[in-house]
Amino acid sequence: FEQIVSVDGDFLFTVMQRIRHTGATPLAVRPFGLVSREGEGKETNAYNLHVGPIGVMDGTLRDTEVNYDKLLSDGPKRFSSSGGWLGITEKYWLAALVPDQAARIDARFAAAGDQFQTDYLAPPLVIAPGASATTTARLFAGAKEVNLLDRYRTTLGIPHFDLAVSWGWFIVIAQPIFRVLDWLFKLTGNFGVAIIGLTILVRAALFPIANKQFESMAKMRVVAPKMKAIQEKYKDDKAKAQQEIMALYKTEKVNPLAGCLPLVLQIPIFYALYKTLLVSIEMRHQPFVLWIHDLSAPDHLTPLNLFGAIAWTPPAFIAIGVFPIILGVTMYLQQRLNPTPMDPVQKQVFAIMPWMFMFIMAPFAAGLQLYWITNNVLSILQQAYMLRKYPMPATPPEPVTVKAVPAKTGGGRGSK
């Protein structure tokens, strides 16, 4: 038995096994490989991040059905596949077996107590006396760098090896977002600047639609007094008031729903950036400026401990960093430029929304907060421009009511 192991600079091991048969009768052998792990590790499997057993069998990604919990509760999972790969993944690291892609293998995912294992058996090789046989397989044990896995996928023919990164079903948008970020990073040398550049590119692509949005919002401000007058006139007839308002929209060529489309289009982009910050090792420990040393982690600088001057770590649910505060302020300023909602309940909801989002966004990655802040600033600038283009009409002064009081008369004098 001979075994030759070689490794490249990115921790892909190539293992060549050769058997020279010196016996007198034919010999049957089966190549195999396994990856095992003790314990599940610190990271937990979740809807937005897969950790644990993973593989691609016959071109299909196997992840959710072979996770730690299902292997412990349902027992081993077995697959038959031509080629493919299988292993165990963490958030940023992967140990994966890559058998001979021409062989039909029997793959297994199993668990026993605190021990987890993925393994495969290749078809038997029958070696005649005096003959020899050679098989080659690979083991990747390294960082899940997107470009690296993609290179192995294309040059070595490892099917869907890039899916080892937990993109999820948003891969169609998340991967292109990563490509743009990676290109901007190589251009600027700073992932924070790259995120700002990405935001500008997204805003530029959506500019025609956003322009329609802000134009409609500016027109809404113009017709707001007329809408208020209609509501006052038909305050006892809601149906009639709604009918008159719809007629006003048609006359003034205002679409109250025009502002929704840019927001809807930005939701998948926002989530794709969230996934990129969450799963790509390229974003790990990437600094921006000043106190932001890791764009994939929340902003740790909070005024609650006087920016670190007090030796106290606030609880996570109130530890609001500087970036979430800036996010809330810019969101508040942006709302000030929007038409005031007529409905009092809606008005109250919009009033507390910026400050509520400060708490909601505080636990998220600083890079995601930076994207939202930049987007808010660009929205404020665009809205301010549209308000200058569509100014509020001049409002005539309210009529002054003068109450006439008769002058006192006396002494036979006349009075004015």
Side-chain angles (χ1 to χ4, degrees), residues 220-375:
M220 285 289 290
R221 290 176 66 94
V222 172
V223 301
K226 298 180 182 179
M227 292 172 57
K228 191 172 182 179
I230 292 173
Q231 289 178 333
E232 286 293 329
K233 183 177 179 181
Y234 301 102
K235 60 183 177 181
D236 297 326
D237 189 350
K238 300 293 184 183
K240 181 63 175 177
Q242 190 64 29
Q243 184 180 355
E244 291 294 324
I245 288 174
M246 295 304 294
L248 178 66
Y249 288 155
K250 188 174 181 179
T251 303
E252 300 289 343
K253 297 181 180 179
V254 175
N255 182 6
L257 300 179
C260 300
L261 185 58
L263 179 63
V264 171
L265 291 175
Q266 287 219 49
I267 289 174
I269 298 170
F270 184 80
Y271 186 75
L273 179 60
Y274 162 73
K275 287 289 289 187
T276 299
L277 289 163
L278 178 68
V279 303
S280 63
I281 193 172
E282 290 84 351
M283 297 294 296
R284 182 171 177 257
H285 296 166
Q286 285 291 341
F288 178 39
V289 292
L290 301 175
W291 71 94
I292 302 295
H293 304 300
D294 187 357
L295 285 163
S296 66
D299 181 1
H300 67 279
L301 198 64
T302 173
L304 294 178
N305 58 11
L306 298 182
F307 307 106
I310 302 174
W312 172 63
T313 302
F317 67 94
I318 62 169
I320 304 175
V322 175
F323 266 26
I325 293 173
I326 297 174
L327 187 151
V329 171
T330 55
M331 193 172 178
Y332 168 76
L333 295 174
Q334 183 183 356
Q335 283 193 3
R336 289 292 299 271
L337 297 175
N338 292 342
T340 304
M342 294 295 167
D343 182 46
V345 176
Q346 194 178 32
K347 186 177 180 180
Q348 290 180 358
V349 170
F350 275 90
I352 65 171
M353 191 175 292
W355 320 120
M356 183 176 66
F357 266 87
M358 281 200 318
F359 289 91
I360 293 174
M361 291 301 299
F364 284 84
L368 202 63
Q369 298 163 4
L370 177 62
Y371 173 85
W372 200 327
I373 291 168
T374 308
N375 188 67

Side-chain angles (χ1 to χ4, degrees), residues 1 22 55 113 135 142 149 170 187 193 274 321 334 349 379 382:
F1 293 84
T22 58
T135 63
L149 298 181
F170 247 69
L187 199 65
V193 178
Y274 162 73
Q334 183 183 356
V349 170
S379 296
Q382 193 169 3

Side-chain angles (χ1 to χ4, degrees), residues 26-149:
L27 177 68
V29 295
R30 295 192 71 177
F32 73 95
L34 66 89
V35 169
S36 66
R37 177 192 175 96
E38 185 176 355
E40 298 184 20
K42 294 181 180 179
E43 294 156 351
T44 56
N45 194 61
Y47 75 96
N48 58 355
L49 176 67
H50 175 77
V51 295
I54 190 173
V56 168
M57 305 284 106
D58 277 338
T60 301
L61 178 67
R62 306 291 181 179
D63 50 2
T64 55
E65 71 262 50
V66 296
N67 62 36
Y68 291 131
D69 292 338
K70 289 190 177 179
L71 292 181
L72 288 170
S73 61
D74 301 341
K77 300 286 185 181
R78 291 180 168 84
F79 302 92
S80 180
S81 174
S82 293
W85 58 272
L86 67 164
I88 297 177
T89 184
E90 292 183 348
K91 183 177 181 178
Y92 296 125
W93 321 102
L94 171 70
L97 298 161
V98 185
D100 183 352
Q101 296 299 293
R104 186 78 183 173
I105 62 168
D106 295 321
R108 185 184 70 137
F109 299 84
D114 204 30
Q115 196 78 21
F116 300 91
Q117 182 169 304
T118 64
D119 51 47
Y120 75 89
L121 275 172
L125 297 174
V126 179
I127 308 171
S132 64
T134 300
T135 63
T136 301
R138 292 183 172 90
L139 165 70
F140 176 76
K144 297 193 295 185
E145 298 178 11
V146 176
N147 292 329
L148 174 66
L149 298 181

Side-chain angles (χ1 to χ4, degrees), residues 143-264:
K144 297 193 295 185
E145 298 178 11
V146 176
N147 292 329
L148 174 66
L149 298 181
D150 199 51
R151 174 161 57 85
Y152 286 146
R153 177 181 63 85
T154 55
T155 59
L156 301 179
I158 306 175
H160 301 300
F161 203 41
D162 55 326
L163 297 185
V165 178
S166 187
W167 297 113
W169 61 276
F170 247 69
I171 185 172
V172 177
I173 302 175
Q175 272 196 347
I177 289 291
F178 170 81
R179 300 292 181 196
V180 174
L181 271 177
D182 189 51
W183 173 73
L184 289 170
F185 171 67
K186 291 173 181 175
L187 199 65
T188 62
N190 187 298
F191 256 113
V193 178
I195 289 173
I196 294 173
L198 171 70
T199 315
I200 294 172
L201 289 177
V202 170
R203 294 291 305 191
L206 298 178
F207 180 81
I209 300 173
N211 218 37
K212 288 288 185 183
Q213 171 202 7
F214 292 128
E215 181 179 340
S216 178
M217 291 170 66
K219 287 181 178 179
M220 285 289 290
R221 290 176 66 94
V222 172
V223 301
K226 298 180 182 179
M227 292 172 57
K228 191 172 182 179
I230 292 173
Q231 289 178 333
E232 286 293 329
K233 183 177 179 181
Y234 301 102
K235 60 183 177 181
D236 297 326
D237 189 350
K238 300 293 184 183
K240 181 63 175 177
Q242 190 64 29
Q243 184 180 355
E244 291 294 324
I245 288 174
M246 295 304 294
L248 178 66
Y249 288 155
K250 188 174 181 179
T251 303
E252 300 289 343
K253 297 181 180 179
V254 175
N255 182 6
L257 300 179
C260 300
L261 185 58
L263 179 63
V264 171

